[in-house]
Amino acid sequence: MSLKRAEICVPAYAKVNLFLDITGRLDNGYHTLNTVMQQVGLCDNVTVRVKDGKGISLSCDVDGIPCDERNIAFKAAETFLNKVGLEAEILIDIEKKIPVMAGLGGSSADGAAVLAALNRLYGGVLSGEELERLGAALGADVPFCLRGGTAVCNGIGDEMRSVKGLGENCFLVIVKPDFACDTAEGYRLFDRQPAAEKGDFDGFLRALDKGTAETGKALYNVFEGLYRDERIERLKNKLAEAGAAGACLTGSGSAVFGVFDDGEKAERAIRQMQYRTKFLTKPLYGT
């Protein structure tokens, strides 16, 4: 198997959950979901270099990010080499733009980027479906990060169906407040007392077909009801007051995003948000 190129830099795009509901808990401890994920333009930059030799090394420009086998990007390189039966020295460098512990899928995106980069470096030795299967073993969001666009995801998040997205005239303002949400605690809250109010999944899919305004009204995240955190509600209200068609927590948090149907309105809104970490971006429809 010949190496087509020795180095490549690829974007690792973040995601937001337009809809997220927990539907149950499996015997192995995993939870089943109904979710609609949307890839967005906010991204890390992942550089992958292949050399003669053996071993994997990873560097990152953000302190506190594990740079060993605890990192999904590191595991992705290991998994790819094992799958294709190769021995090589892999050097990975991650330039972080996606905030951590935000519910934006940054670590999964980095893992997906490494799989995609290595596959391109080796001339597309694996199909898209094969890459997604490899990604599923690394994390539930990795297959979506490989596919991109907009997708309905069920099961533990690995059963995907691409659907119509938010549209070209949609803009997103993403705000990461100065606190984190504990994902494990969120699921423990669900296990102790599942949310009494369930999201209308079919209703959301109908709204998605109608455009940004209707979609904004139908956004849903089960973790909002589980956390009952006034800080999240205040942030959602601020985005709504700034003109968002709707606002919602993404993933298990703590980032909140607002959906806007006008770029100028979104630009005014982000200026009004008195938070250190905030982004104006757009949905993506395939990478």
Side-chain angles (χ1 to χ4, degrees):
M1 188 181 304
S2 60
L3 184 67
K4 301 301 182 184
R5 294 175 59 185
E7 181 176 329
I8 192 171
C9 181
V10 297
Y13 291 108
K15 59 84 182 171
V16 296
N17 296 83
L18 304 176
F19 186 100
L20 175 58
D21 200 4
I22 305 171
T23 57
R25 186 177 187 273
L26 301 176
D27 291 340
N28 61 9
Y30 283 98
H31 291 78
T32 55
L33 308 173
N34 280 339
T35 185
V36 178
M37 289 197 274
Q38 173 66 62
Q39 195 170 54
V40 301
L42 172 64
C43 67
D44 295 342
N45 293 312
V46 178
T47 301
V48 177
R49 186 153 52 105
V50 179
K51 298 169 60 178
D52 290 334
K54 185 177 180 180
I56 300 167
S57 62
L58 187 149
S59 60
C60 182
D61 64 344
V62 173
D63 292 337
I65 300 292
C67 292
D68 53 23
E69 61 276 358
R70 293 171 294 171
N71 193 301
I72 292 180
F74 188 104
K75 293 178 184 176
E78 250 180 353
T79 300
F80 182 89
L81 291 178
N82 289 337
K83 172 65 177 178
V84 299
L86 289 171
E87 184 175 286
E89 183 179 0
I90 308 294
L91 295 88
I92 304 165
D93 180 68
I94 301 174
E95 180 188 5
K96 289 294 292 180
K97 299 292 179 64
I98 304 170
V100 299
M101 299 183 70
L104 292 165
S107 60
S108 294
D110 294 341
V114 169
L115 289 177
L118 286 170
N119 201 44
R120 287 167 63 182
L121 288 172
Y122 282 98
V125 63
L126 299 179
S127 68
E129 289 184 357
E130 288 174 314
L131 284 178
E132 288 179 9
R133 284 196 293 270
L134 286 185
L138 298 170
D141 290 346
V142 178
F144 170 77
C145 292
L146 283 161
R147 181 176 297 196
T150 316
V152 173
C153 302
N154 306 113
I156 61 170
D158 57 341
E159 301 170 17
M160 290 187 293
R161 172 170 59 90
S162 295
V163 294
K164 174 186 174 182
L166 288 169
E168 293 301 321
N169 294 323
C170 178
F171 295 82
L172 300 173
V173 173
I174 301 173
V175 179
K176 168 65 170 66
D178 293 332
F179 64 89
C181 295
D182 186 332
T183 301
E185 176 59 22
Y187 281 105
R188 283 193 291 269
L189 289 170
F190 174 85
D191 291 339
R192 288 197 293 267
Q193 185 173 354
E197 181 181 343
K198 303 296 287 182
D200 182 0
F201 192 50
D202 292 335
F204 176 81
L205 294 178
R206 290 193 295 270
L208 189 61
D209 276 334
K210 296 178 181 177
T212 302
E214 292 301 314
T215 302
K217 297 173 187 175
L219 299 172
Y220 174 79
N221 188 316
V222 66
F223 285 104
E224 293 177 7
L226 293 171
Y227 294 145
R228 299 187 183 279
D229 192 319
E230 292 182 359
R231 297 170 297 179
I232 293 171
E233 291 304 313
R234 282 197 298 270
L235 178 47
K236 287 176 59 182
N237 290 337
K238 287 179 181 178
L239 286 163
E241 290 165 2
C248 192
L249 190 74
T250 180
S252 58
S254 61
V256 173
F257 66 96
V259 176
F260 293 80
D261 57 7
D262 177 84
E264 291 184 3
K265 190 186 299 182
E267 288 176 355
R268 287 196 299 271
I270 199 168
R271 288 195 295 268
Q272 294 175 30
M273 296 298 109
Q274 300 300 309
Y275 295 85
R276 289 184 297 176
T277 306
K278 54 187 179 179
F279 308 92
L280 173 59
T281 188
K282 286 181 67 65
L284 296 180
Y285 301 103
T287 56

